[in-house]
Amino acid sequence: DQQVKQNSPSLSVQEGRISILNCDYTNSMFDYFLWYKKYPAEGPTFLISISSIKDKNEDGRFTVFLNKSAKHLSLHIVPSQPGDSAVYFCAARVSGGYQKVTFGTGTKLQVIP
Amino acid sequence: AAGVIQSPRHLIKEKRETATLKCYPIPRHDTVYWYQQGPGQDPQFLISFYEKMQSDKGSIPDRFSAQQFSDYHSELNMSSLELGDSALYFCATTGGNTEAFFGQGTRLTVV
């Protein structure tokens, strides 16, 4: 049962354009959402997060949008840079000291110079 | 700033051997999670510990066990290794915050 889904396994974007990565979840108990960036053979690197009490969080070129009614979130990268090329994992958890993070299947982003 | 440390970074074992992976959390983090990522797969949750007690269990085989020690570091013990155990193993830690920070992972290759 995949509780966090990323339906696009890959995405190619021209440098300077906007990258939009999408994520859907099914567990209504999730109240905290995270995006991780991962290079091959490295651990996931935390990128940005959003609490369910917000619908938008921005950090530099990265913005995450949350639509709770649709159980959907997205990560926008503007402008996209070649160094952004990596696999991006959407993740979700229930707030609490020991609640695990549940990952999506990942979207491979390629930014073309 | 100190990050999550995993050791070793790479490990090669033969079938039926035993492996021990270690995870050292960020200072003051009391929760450790273990994940396994096979080739072309998303990270799968194995097991977690909170304040040295097992807090959640995922798809961890019976051949694997783990524990968290008094200094909050954790060890994942894997016995009777199989070829299918070859994967990247990540640990992540939290300290009551909602973000989980990951180590660089241990690449286990079973031959």
Side-chain angles (χ1 to χ4, degrees):
Chain A
D1 177 29
Q2 192 71 35
Q3 296 186 59
V4 181
K5 302 176 185 178
Q6 294 174 256
N7 292 319
S8 298
S10 63
L11 177 68
S12 288
V13 172
Q14 207 70 31
E15 180 179 5
R17 297 288 190 101
I18 182 172
S19 296
I20 300 176
L21 297 95
N22 293 302
C23 177
D24 298 291
Y25 62 96
T26 57
N27 188 343
S28 57
M29 297 294 291
F30 289 144
D31 59 0
Y32 207 84
F33 305 90
L34 311 97
W35 284 94
Y36 287 86
K37 178 179 178 180
K38 187 180 180 303
Y39 294 112
E42 292 187 10
T45 301
F46 171 72
L47 202 56
I48 192 169
S49 61
I50 187 167
S51 164
S52 60
I53 63 173
K54 295 185 176 181
D55 54 17
K56 177 183 175 182
N57 188 26
E58 191 172 355
D59 184 2
R61 296 186 296 114
F62 302 91
T63 303
V64 57
F65 296 91
L66 175 63
N67 182 335
K68 282 181 294 184
S69 60
K71 293 192 176 68
H72 177 85
L73 63 154
S74 61
L75 175 68
H76 292 209
I77 307 174
V78 182
S80 301
Q81 299 173 355
D84 295 330
S85 298
V87 177
Y88 288 79
F89 287 96
C90 167
R93 67 179 299 190
V94 177
S95 295
Y98 55 87
Q99 298 292 338
K100 67 177 182 288
V101 177
T102 300
F103 283 90
T105 48
T107 297
K108 185 175 184 179
L109 173 66
Q110 183 183 16
V111 179
I112 303 164
Chain B
V4 178
I5 306 296
Q6 286 187 250
S7 69
R9 288 295 310 276
H10 302 274
L11 190 59
I12 299 175
K13 291 283 185 178
E14 295 187 355
K15 282 193 302 184
R16 293 179 290 278
E17 282 194 316
T18 297
T20 298
L21 311 185
K22 297 183 180 182
C23 172
Y24 296 89
I26 291 171
R28 291 180 294 281
H29 279 196
D30 53 14
T31 307
V32 174
Y33 314 81
W34 285 96
Y35 289 83
Q36 176 193 58
Q37 186 178 23
Q41 299 178 3
D42 52 303
Q44 295 294 315
F45 171 71
L46 292 177
I47 195 168
S48 64
F49 291 86
Y50 171 62
E51 281 292 344
K52 294 156 278 185
M53 299 286 288
Q54 182 181 309
S55 55
D56 199 354
K57 194 172 182 180
S59 52
I60 184 169
D62 292 340
R63 299 177 289 108
F64 293 8
S65 65
Q67 57 182 323
Q68 186 179 31
F69 294 86
S70 58
D71 63 351
Y72 295 104
H73 93 273
S74 179
E75 295 183 5
L76 177 66
N77 298 294
M78 310 159 71
S79 62
S80 302
L81 286 169
E82 302 173 355
L83 295 178
D85 296 329
S86 296
L88 277 168
Y89 290 84
F90 298 106
C91 78
T93 72
T94 64
N97 296 327
T98 37
E99 288 84 13
F101 294 91
F102 284 80
Q104 288 299 294
T106 295
R107 177 174 288 283
L108 173 66
T109 303
V110 181
V111 297

PDB file of all heavy atoms in Angstrom, chain B residues 29-62:
ATOM      1  N   HIS B  29      19.686  13.990  19.233  1.00  0.00           N
ATOM      2  CA  HIS B  29      18.628  13.246  18.546  1.00  0.00           C
ATOM      3  C   HIS B  29      18.431  11.912  19.264  1.00  0.00           C
ATOM      4  O   HIS B  29      19.383  11.185  19.518  1.00  0.00           O
ATOM      5  CB  HIS B  29      18.990  13.014  17.086  1.00  0.00           C
ATOM      6  CG  HIS B  29      18.706  14.191  16.222  1.00  0.00           C
ATOM      7  ND1 HIS B  29      18.645  14.111  14.846  1.00  0.00           N
ATOM      8  CD2 HIS B  29      18.449  15.486  16.521  1.00  0.00           C
ATOM      9  CE1 HIS B  29      18.372  15.300  14.352  1.00  0.00           C
ATOM     10  NE2 HIS B  29      18.248  16.146  15.344  1.00  0.00           N
ATOM     11  N   ASP B  30      17.161  11.589  19.555  1.00  0.00           N
ATOM     12  CA  ASP B  30      16.887  10.394  20.339  1.00  0.00           C
ATOM     13  C   ASP B  30      16.155   9.311  19.539  1.00  0.00           C
ATOM     14  O   ASP B  30      15.834   8.256  20.082  1.00  0.00           O
ATOM     15  CB  ASP B  30      16.072  10.747  21.577  1.00  0.00           C
ATOM     16  CG  ASP B  30      14.809  11.533  21.232  1.00  0.00           C
ATOM     17  OD1 ASP B  30      14.426  11.573  20.029  1.00  0.00           O
ATOM     18  OD2 ASP B  30      14.202  12.114  22.153  1.00  0.00           O
ATOM     19  N   THR B  31      15.890   9.566  18.288  1.00  0.00           N
ATOM     20  CA  THR B  31      15.138   8.619  17.469  1.00  0.00           C
ATOM     21  C   THR B  31      15.943   8.254  16.235  1.00  0.00           C
ATOM     22  O   THR B  31      16.507   9.127  15.575  1.00  0.00           O
ATOM     23  CB  THR B  31      13.793   9.236  17.045  1.00  0.00           C
ATOM     24  OG1 THR B  31      13.109   9.714  18.206  1.00  0.00           O
ATOM     25  CG2 THR B  31      12.928   8.202  16.335  1.00  0.00           C
ATOM     26  N   VAL B  32      16.010   6.978  15.966  1.00  0.00           N
ATOM     27  CA  VAL B  32      16.757   6.486  14.813  1.00  0.00           C
ATOM     28  C   VAL B  32      15.837   5.627  13.951  1.00  0.00           C
ATOM     29  O   VAL B  32      15.071   4.819  14.469  1.00  0.00           O
ATOM     30  CB  VAL B  32      17.971   5.636  15.255  1.00  0.00           C
ATOM     31  CG1 VAL B  32      18.652   5.004  14.036  1.00  0.00           C
ATOM     32  CG2 VAL B  32      18.965   6.471  16.034  1.00  0.00           C
ATOM     33  N   TYR B  33      15.932   5.835  12.645  1.00  0.00           N
ATOM     34  CA  TYR B  33      15.164   5.048  11.677  1.00  0.00           C
ATOM     35  C   TYR B  33      16.144   4.377  10.726  1.00  0.00           C
ATOM     36  O   TYR B  33      17.121   4.984  10.318  1.00  0.00           O
ATOM     37  CB  TYR B  33      14.246   5.940  10.841  1.00  0.00           C
ATOM     38  CG  TYR B  33      13.441   6.960  11.609  1.00  0.00           C
ATOM     39  CD1 TYR B  33      14.003   8.165  12.001  1.00  0.00           C
ATOM     40  CD2 TYR B  33      12.107   6.725  11.914  1.00  0.00           C
ATOM     41  CE1 TYR B  33      13.270   9.105  12.692  1.00  0.00           C
ATOM     42  CE2 TYR B  33      11.357   7.674  12.603  1.00  0.00           C
ATOM     43  CZ  TYR B  33      11.947   8.860  12.980  1.00  0.00           C
ATOM     44  OH  TYR B  33      11.208   9.797  13.662  1.00  0.00           O
ATOM     45  N   TRP B  34      15.848   3.160  10.347  1.00  0.00           N
ATOM     46  CA  TRP B  34      16.642   2.458   9.350  1.00  0.00           C
ATOM     47  C   TRP B  34      15.801   2.239   8.091  1.00  0.00           C
ATOM     48  O   TRP B  34      14.647   1.822   8.172  1.00  0.00           O
ATOM     49  CB  TRP B  34      17.118   1.105   9.868  1.00  0.00           C
ATOM     50  CG  TRP B  34      18.238   1.185  10.864  1.00  0.00           C
ATOM     51  CD1 TRP B  34      18.143   1.163  12.227  1.00  0.00           C
ATOM     52  CD2 TRP B  34      19.629   1.291  10.571  1.00  0.00           C
ATOM     53  NE1 TRP B  34      19.393   1.252  12.794  1.00  0.00           N
ATOM     54  CE2 TRP B  34      20.325   1.326  11.799  1.00  0.00           C
ATOM     55  CE3 TRP B  34      20.377   1.353   9.389  1.00  0.00           C
ATOM     56  CZ2 TRP B  34      21.723   1.418  11.883  1.00  0.00           C
ATOM     57  CZ3 TRP B  34      21.756   1.439   9.473  1.00  0.00           C
ATOM     58  CH2 TRP B  34      22.415   1.473  10.705  1.00  0.00           C
ATOM     59  N   TYR B  35      16.434   2.512   6.938  1.00  0.00           N
ATOM     60  CA  TYR B  35      15.785   2.312   5.649  1.00  0.00           C
ATOM     61  C   TYR B  35      16.697   1.487   4.753  1.00  0.00           C
ATOM     62  O   TYR B  35      17.915   1.561   4.837  1.00  0.00           O
ATOM     63  CB  TYR B  35      15.507   3.647   4.957  1.00  0.00           C
ATOM     64  CG  TYR B  35      14.421   4.473   5.599  1.00  0.00           C
ATOM     65  CD1 TYR B  35      14.697   5.277   6.697  1.00  0.00           C
ATOM     66  CD2 TYR B  35      13.124   4.449   5.099  1.00  0.00           C
ATOM     67  CE1 TYR B  35      13.701   6.033   7.290  1.00  0.00           C
ATOM     68  CE2 TYR B  35      12.123   5.204   5.693  1.00  0.00           C
ATOM     69  CZ  TYR B  35      12.424   5.989   6.782  1.00  0.00           C
ATOM     70  OH  TYR B  35      11.432   6.739   7.369  1.00  0.00           O
ATOM     71  N   GLN B  36      16.058   0.738   3.868  1.00  0.00           N
ATOM     72  CA  GLN B  36      16.776  -0.039   2.863  1.00  0.00           C
ATOM     73  C   GLN B  36      16.329   0.441   1.487  1.00  0.00           C
ATOM     74  O   GLN B  36      15.132   0.578   1.226  1.00  0.00           O
ATOM     75  CB  GLN B  36      16.434  -1.522   3.024  1.00  0.00           C
ATOM     76  CG  GLN B  36      17.045  -2.447   1.984  1.00  0.00           C
ATOM     77  CD  GLN B  36      16.396  -3.834   2.019  1.00  0.00           C
ATOM     78  OE1 GLN B  36      15.186  -3.962   1.856  1.00  0.00           O
ATOM     79  NE2 GLN B  36      17.205  -4.856   2.243  1.00  0.00           N
ATOM     80  N   GLN B  37      17.308   0.712   0.619  1.00  0.00           N
ATOM     81  CA  GLN B  37      16.957   1.112  -0.748  1.00  0.00           C
ATOM     82  C   GLN B  37      17.629   0.181  -1.733  1.00  0.00           C
ATOM     83  O   GLN B  37      18.854   0.218  -1.909  1.00  0.00           O
ATOM     84  CB  GLN B  37      17.353   2.561  -1.021  1.00  0.00           C
ATOM     85  CG  GLN B  37      16.875   3.034  -2.383  1.00  0.00           C
ATOM     86  CD  GLN B  37      17.215   4.472  -2.670  1.00  0.00           C
ATOM     87  OE1 GLN B  37      18.138   5.024  -2.097  1.00  0.00           O
ATOM     88  NE2 GLN B  37      16.447   5.094  -3.551  1.00  0.00           N
ATOM     89  N   GLY B  38      16.828  -0.654  -2.355  1.00  0.00           N
ATOM     90  CA  GLY B  38      17.346  -1.536  -3.390  1.00  0.00           C
ATOM     91  C   GLY B  38      17.506  -0.794  -4.695  1.00  0.00           C
ATOM     92  O   GLY B  38      17.011   0.332  -4.848  1.00  0.00           O
ATOM     93  N   PRO B  39      18.171  -1.395  -5.670  1.00  0.00           N
ATOM     94  CA  PRO B  39      18.399  -0.732  -6.967  1.00  0.00           C
ATOM     95  C   PRO B  39      17.076  -0.325  -7.618  1.00  0.00           C
ATOM     96  O   PRO B  39      16.177  -1.146  -7.778  1.00  0.00           O
ATOM     97  CB  PRO B  39      19.113  -1.816  -7.782  1.00  0.00           C
ATOM     98  CG  PRO B  39      19.715  -2.740  -6.767  1.00  0.00           C
ATOM     99  CD  PRO B  39      18.779  -2.725  -5.602  1.00  0.00           C
ATOM    100  N   GLY B  40      16.974   0.941  -7.969  1.00  0.00           N
ATOM    101  CA  GLY B  40      15.784   1.430  -8.651  1.00  0.00           C
ATOM    102  C   GLY B  40      14.538   1.494  -7.791  1.00  0.00           C
ATOM    103  O   GLY B  40      13.429   1.615  -8.307  1.00  0.00           O
ATOM    104  N   GLN B  41      14.696   1.406  -6.478  1.00  0.00           N
ATOM    105  CA  GLN B  41      13.535   1.409  -5.590  1.00  0.00           C
ATOM    106  C   GLN B  41      13.568   2.618  -4.669  1.00  0.00           C
ATOM    107  O   GLN B  41      14.600   3.249  -4.492  1.00  0.00           O
ATOM    108  CB  GLN B  41      13.504   0.129  -4.754  1.00  0.00           C
ATOM    109  CG  GLN B  41      13.388  -1.141  -5.580  1.00  0.00           C
ATOM    110  CD  GLN B  41      13.414  -2.382  -4.699  1.00  0.00           C
ATOM    111  OE1 GLN B  41      13.466  -2.300  -3.477  1.00  0.00           O
ATOM    112  NE2 GLN B  41      13.367  -3.530  -5.323  1.00  0.00           N
ATOM    113  N   ASP B  42      12.412   2.947  -4.097  1.00  0.00           N
ATOM    114  CA  ASP B  42      12.387   4.002  -3.097  1.00  0.00           C
ATOM    115  C   ASP B  42      12.799   3.422  -1.745  1.00  0.00           C
ATOM    116  O   ASP B  42      12.740   2.216  -1.533  1.00  0.00           O
ATOM    117  CB  ASP B  42      10.989   4.631  -3.009  1.00  0.00           C
ATOM    118  CG  ASP B  42       9.901   3.600  -2.815  1.00  0.00           C
ATOM    119  OD1 ASP B  42       9.795   2.683  -3.663  1.00  0.00           O
ATOM    120  OD2 ASP B  42       9.158   3.713  -1.825  1.00  0.00           O
ATOM    121  N   PRO B  43      13.241   4.268  -0.849  1.00  0.00           N
ATOM    122  CA  PRO B  43      13.652   3.778   0.475  1.00  0.00           C
ATOM    123  C   PRO B  43      12.500   3.097   1.209  1.00  0.00           C
ATOM    124  O   PRO B  43      11.399   3.636   1.302  1.00  0.00           O
ATOM    125  CB  PRO B  43      14.092   5.055   1.193  1.00  0.00           C
ATOM    126  CG  PRO B  43      14.411   6.027   0.107  1.00  0.00           C
ATOM    127  CD  PRO B  43      13.458   5.722  -0.995  1.00  0.00           C
ATOM    128  N   GLN B  44      12.771   1.915   1.706  1.00  0.00           N
ATOM    129  CA  GLN B  44      11.774   1.150   2.455  1.00  0.00           C
ATOM    130  C   GLN B  44      12.130   1.162   3.938  1.00  0.00           C
ATOM    131  O   GLN B  44      13.253   0.840   4.320  1.00  0.00           O
ATOM    132  CB  GLN B  44      11.724  -0.291   1.944  1.00  0.00           C
ATOM    133  CG  GLN B  44      11.237  -0.424   0.511  1.00  0.00           C
ATOM    134  CD  GLN B  44       9.791  -0.011   0.346  1.00  0.00           C
ATOM    135  OE1 GLN B  44       8.933  -0.364   1.131  1.00  0.00           O
ATOM    136  NE2 GLN B  44       9.515   0.775  -0.691  1.00  0.00           N
ATOM    137  N   PHE B  45      11.148   1.486   4.743  1.00  0.00           N
ATOM    138  CA  PHE B  45      11.365   1.557   6.180  1.00  0.00           C
ATOM    139  C   PHE B  45      11.567   0.166   6.766  1.00  0.00           C
ATOM    140  O   PHE B  45      10.801  -0.756   6.473  1.00  0.00           O
ATOM    141  CB  PHE B  45      10.166   2.245   6.834  1.00  0.00           C
ATOM    142  CG  PHE B  45      10.165   2.204   8.337  1.00  0.00           C
ATOM    143  CD1 PHE B  45      11.073   2.958   9.053  1.00  0.00           C
ATOM    144  CD2 PHE B  45       9.258   1.409   9.011  1.00  0.00           C
ATOM    145  CE1 PHE B  45      11.072   2.916  10.436  1.00  0.00           C
ATOM    146  CE2 PHE B  45       9.254   1.360  10.396  1.00  0.00           C
ATOM    147  CZ  PHE B  45      10.163   2.117  11.117  1.00  0.00           C
ATOM    148  N   LEU B  46      12.588   0.031   7.604  1.00  0.00           N
ATOM    149  CA  LEU B  46      12.866  -1.256   8.244  1.00  0.00           C
ATOM    150  C   LEU B  46      12.424  -1.271   9.701  1.00  0.00           C
ATOM    151  O   LEU B  46      11.627  -2.111  10.129  1.00  0.00           O
ATOM    152  CB  LEU B  46      14.367  -1.566   8.178  1.00  0.00           C
ATOM    153  CG  LEU B  46      14.961  -1.849   6.797  1.00  0.00           C
ATOM    154  CD1 LEU B  46      16.464  -2.067   6.903  1.00  0.00           C
ATOM    155  CD2 LEU B  46      14.298  -3.037   6.139  1.00  0.00           C
ATOM    156  N   ILE B  47      12.966  -0.330  10.481  1.00  0.00           N
ATOM    157  CA  ILE B  47      12.721  -0.356  11.921  1.00  0.00           C
ATOM    158  C   ILE B  47      13.135   0.981  12.516  1.00  0.00           C
ATOM    159  O   ILE B  47      13.951   1.691  11.923  1.00  0.00           O
ATOM    160  CB  ILE B  47      13.501  -1.519  12.582  1.00  0.00           C
ATOM    161  CG1 ILE B  47      13.008  -1.824  13.996  1.00  0.00           C
ATOM    162  CG2 ILE B  47      15.008  -1.259  12.560  1.00  0.00           C
ATOM    163  CD1 ILE B  47      13.538  -3.138  14.570  1.00  0.00           C
ATOM    164  N   SER B  48      12.578   1.336  13.658  1.00  0.00           N
ATOM    165  CA  SER B  48      12.959   2.580  14.315  1.00  0.00           C
ATOM    166  C   SER B  48      13.035   2.390  15.817  1.00  0.00           C
ATOM    167  O   SER B  48      12.421   1.475  16.375  1.00  0.00           O
ATOM    168  CB  SER B  48      11.976   3.698  13.975  1.00  0.00           C
ATOM    169  OG  SER B  48      10.681   3.400  14.469  1.00  0.00           O
ATOM    170  N   PHE B  49      13.790   3.274  16.442  1.00  0.00           N
ATOM    171  CA  PHE B  49      13.966   3.255  17.890  1.00  0.00           C
ATOM    172  C   PHE B  49      13.799   4.659  18.439  1.00  0.00           C
ATOM    173  O   PHE B  49      14.270   5.636  17.856  1.00  0.00           O
ATOM    174  CB  PHE B  49      15.364   2.732  18.255  1.00  0.00           C
ATOM    175  CG  PHE B  49      15.539   1.279  17.947  1.00  0.00           C
ATOM    176  CD1 PHE B  49      15.938   0.886  16.679  1.00  0.00           C
ATOM    177  CD2 PHE B  49      15.283   0.312  18.897  1.00  0.00           C
ATOM    178  CE1 PHE B  49      16.089  -0.459  16.370  1.00  0.00           C
ATOM    179  CE2 PHE B  49      15.431  -1.032  18.601  1.00  0.00           C
ATOM    180  CZ  PHE B  49      15.835  -1.412  17.331  1.00  0.00           C
ATOM    181  N   TYR B  50      13.121   4.733  19.578  1.00  0.00           N
ATOM    182  CA  TYR B  50      12.933   5.994  20.278  1.00  0.00           C
ATOM    183  C   TYR B  50      13.336   5.784  21.719  1.00  0.00           C
ATOM    184  O   TYR B  50      12.810   4.888  22.389  1.00  0.00           O
ATOM    185  CB  TYR B  50      11.475   6.438  20.175  1.00  0.00           C
ATOM    186  CG  TYR B  50      11.099   7.612  21.041  1.00  0.00           C
ATOM    187  CD1 TYR B  50      11.699   8.847  20.865  1.00  0.00           C
ATOM    188  CD2 TYR B  50      10.146   7.478  22.037  1.00  0.00           C
ATOM    189  CE1 TYR B  50      11.347   9.930  21.654  1.00  0.00           C
ATOM    190  CE2 TYR B  50       9.783   8.548  22.833  1.00  0.00           C
ATOM    191  CZ  TYR B  50      10.397   9.769  22.630  1.00  0.00           C
ATOM    192  OH  TYR B  50      10.046  10.836  23.409  1.00  0.00           O
ATOM    193  N   GLU B  51      14.270   6.567  22.173  1.00  0.00           N
ATOM    194  CA  GLU B  51      14.754   6.437  23.549  1.00  0.00           C
ATOM    195  C   GLU B  51      15.126   4.976  23.874  1.00  0.00           C
ATOM    196  O   GLU B  51      14.732   4.417  24.901  1.00  0.00           O
ATOM    197  CB  GLU B  51      13.712   6.944  24.541  1.00  0.00           C
ATOM    198  CG  GLU B  51      13.675   8.449  24.670  1.00  0.00           C
ATOM    199  CD  GLU B  51      14.941   9.006  25.314  1.00  0.00           C
ATOM    200  OE1 GLU B  51      15.718   8.243  25.943  1.00  0.00           O
ATOM    201  OE2 GLU B  51      15.192  10.222  25.159  1.00  0.00           O
ATOM    202  N   LYS B  52      15.858   4.382  22.951  1.00  0.00           N
ATOM    203  CA  LYS B  52      16.439   3.047  23.115  1.00  0.00           C
ATOM    204  C   LYS B  52      15.425   1.899  23.080  1.00  0.00           C
ATOM    205  O   LYS B  52      15.777   0.748  23.321  1.00  0.00           O
ATOM    206  CB  LYS B  52      17.283   2.973  24.399  1.00  0.00           C
ATOM    207  CG  LYS B  52      18.507   3.851  24.330  1.00  0.00           C
ATOM    208  CD  LYS B  52      19.009   4.245  25.699  1.00  0.00           C
ATOM    209  CE  LYS B  52      18.229   5.421  26.249  1.00  0.00           C
ATOM    210  NZ  LYS B  52      18.747   5.933  27.536  1.00  0.00           N
ATOM    211  N   MET B  53      14.175   2.221  22.776  1.00  0.00           N
ATOM    212  CA  MET B  53      13.156   1.178  22.659  1.00  0.00           C
ATOM    213  C   MET B  53      12.666   1.140  21.219  1.00  0.00           C
ATOM    214  O   MET B  53      12.511   2.180  20.574  1.00  0.00           O
ATOM    215  CB  MET B  53      11.974   1.480  23.581  1.00  0.00           C
ATOM    216  CG  MET B  53      12.351   1.541  25.047  1.00  0.00           C
ATOM    217  SD  MET B  53      12.673  -0.093  25.723  1.00  0.00           S
ATOM    218  CE  MET B  53      11.004  -0.741  25.759  1.00  0.00           C
ATOM    219  N   GLN B  54      12.383  -0.054  20.727  1.00  0.00           N
ATOM    220  CA  GLN B  54      11.830  -0.163  19.385  1.00  0.00           C
ATOM    221  C   GLN B  54      10.483   0.541  19.335  1.00  0.00           C
ATOM    222  O   GLN B  54       9.612   0.297  20.166  1.00  0.00           O
ATOM    223  CB  GLN B  54      11.652  -1.635  19.009  1.00  0.00           C
ATOM    224  CG  GLN B  54      11.127  -1.837  17.600  1.00  0.00           C
ATOM    225  CD  GLN B  54      10.948  -3.307  17.260  1.00  0.00           C
ATOM    226  OE1 GLN B  54      11.859  -4.107  17.450  1.00  0.00           O
ATOM    227  NE2 GLN B  54       9.779  -3.661  16.767  1.00  0.00           N
ATOM    228  N   SER B  55      10.335   1.437  18.363  1.00  0.00           N
ATOM    229  CA  SER B  55       9.106   2.212  18.299  1.00  0.00           C
ATOM    230  C   SER B  55       8.220   1.828  17.121  1.00  0.00           C
ATOM    231  O   SER B  55       7.015   2.039  17.158  1.00  0.00           O
ATOM    232  CB  SER B  55       9.414   3.703  18.215  1.00  0.00           C
ATOM    233  OG  SER B  55      10.270   3.983  17.138  1.00  0.00           O
ATOM    234  N   ASP B  56       8.802   1.274  16.072  1.00  0.00           N
ATOM    235  CA  ASP B  56       8.018   0.901  14.905  1.00  0.00           C
ATOM    236  C   ASP B  56       8.807  -0.130  14.110  1.00  0.00           C
ATOM    237  O   ASP B  56      10.038  -0.175  14.170  1.00  0.00           O
ATOM    238  CB  ASP B  56       7.717   2.126  14.044  1.00  0.00           C
ATOM    239  CG  ASP B  56       6.547   1.920  13.098  1.00  0.00           C
ATOM    240  OD1 ASP B  56       6.021   0.789  13.014  1.00  0.00           O
ATOM    241  OD2 ASP B  56       6.144   2.889  12.437  1.00  0.00           O
ATOM    242  N   LYS B  57       8.092  -0.956  13.412  1.00  0.00           N
ATOM    243  CA  LYS B  57       8.729  -2.011  12.637  1.00  0.00           C
ATOM    244  C   LYS B  57       8.102  -2.062  11.266  1.00  0.00           C
ATOM    245  O   LYS B  57       6.871  -2.054  11.136  1.00  0.00           O
ATOM    246  CB  LYS B  57       8.549  -3.347  13.352  1.00  0.00           C
ATOM    247  CG  LYS B  57       9.422  -4.472  12.848  1.00  0.00           C
ATOM    248  CD  LYS B  57       9.298  -5.680  13.774  1.00  0.00           C
ATOM    249  CE  LYS B  57      10.195  -6.810  13.337  1.00  0.00           C
ATOM    250  NZ  LYS B  57      10.087  -7.987  14.209  1.00  0.00           N
ATOM    251  N   GLY B  58       8.952  -2.090  10.251  1.00  0.00           N
ATOM    252  CA  GLY B  58       8.453  -2.168   8.897  1.00  0.00           C
ATOM    253  C   GLY B  58       8.780  -3.503   8.278  1.00  0.00           C
ATOM    254  O   GLY B  58       8.627  -4.548   8.894  1.00  0.00           O
ATOM    255  N   SER B  59       9.280  -3.458   7.057  1.00  0.00           N
ATOM    256  CA  SER B  59       9.531  -4.695   6.320  1.00  0.00           C
ATOM    257  C   SER B  59      10.910  -5.265   6.610  1.00  0.00           C
ATOM    258  O   SER B  59      11.698  -5.527   5.715  1.00  0.00           O
ATOM    259  CB  SER B  59       9.364  -4.428   4.821  1.00  0.00           C
ATOM    260  OG  SER B  59      10.158  -3.308   4.428  1.00  0.00           O
ATOM    261  N   ILE B  60      11.196  -5.457   7.863  1.00  0.00           N
ATOM    262  CA  ILE B  60      12.511  -5.971   8.243  1.00  0.00           C
ATOM    263  C   ILE B  60      12.453  -7.495   8.333  1.00  0.00           C
ATOM    264  O   ILE B  60      11.587  -8.051   9.010  1.00  0.00           O
ATOM    265  CB  ILE B  60      12.991  -5.345   9.578  1.00  0.00           C
ATOM    266  CG1 ILE B  60      14.411  -5.813   9.924  1.00  0.00           C
ATOM    267  CG2 ILE B  60      12.012  -5.619  10.705  1.00  0.00           C
ATOM    268  CD1 ILE B  60      15.040  -5.042  11.078  1.00  0.00           C
ATOM    269  N   PRO B  61      13.365  -8.174   7.632  1.00  0.00           N
ATOM    270  CA  PRO B  61      13.362  -9.655   7.684  1.00  0.00           C
ATOM    271  C   PRO B  61      13.711 -10.140   9.090  1.00  0.00           C
ATOM    272  O   PRO B  61      14.394  -9.454   9.857  1.00  0.00           O
ATOM    273  CB  PRO B  61      14.472 -10.041   6.685  1.00  0.00           C
ATOM    274  CG  PRO B  61      14.733  -8.815   5.872  1.00  0.00           C
ATOM    275  CD  PRO B  61      14.395  -7.655   6.724  1.00  0.00           C
ATOM    276  N   ASP B  62      13.277 -11.339   9.409  1.00  0.00           N
ATOM    277  CA  ASP B  62      13.585 -11.925  10.711  1.00  0.00           C
ATOM    278  C   ASP B  62      15.079 -12.141  10.903  1.00  0.00           C
ATOM    279  O   ASP B  62      15.563 -12.230  12.032  1.00  0.00           O
ATOM    280  CB  ASP B  62      12.845 -13.263  10.877  1.00  0.00           C
ATOM    281  CG  ASP B  62      11.347 -13.059  10.981  1.00  0.00           C
ATOM    282  OD1 ASP B  62      10.924 -11.931  11.311  1.00  0.00           O
ATOM    283  OD2 ASP B  62      10.599 -14.020  10.719  1.00  0.00           O
TER     284      ASP B  62
END
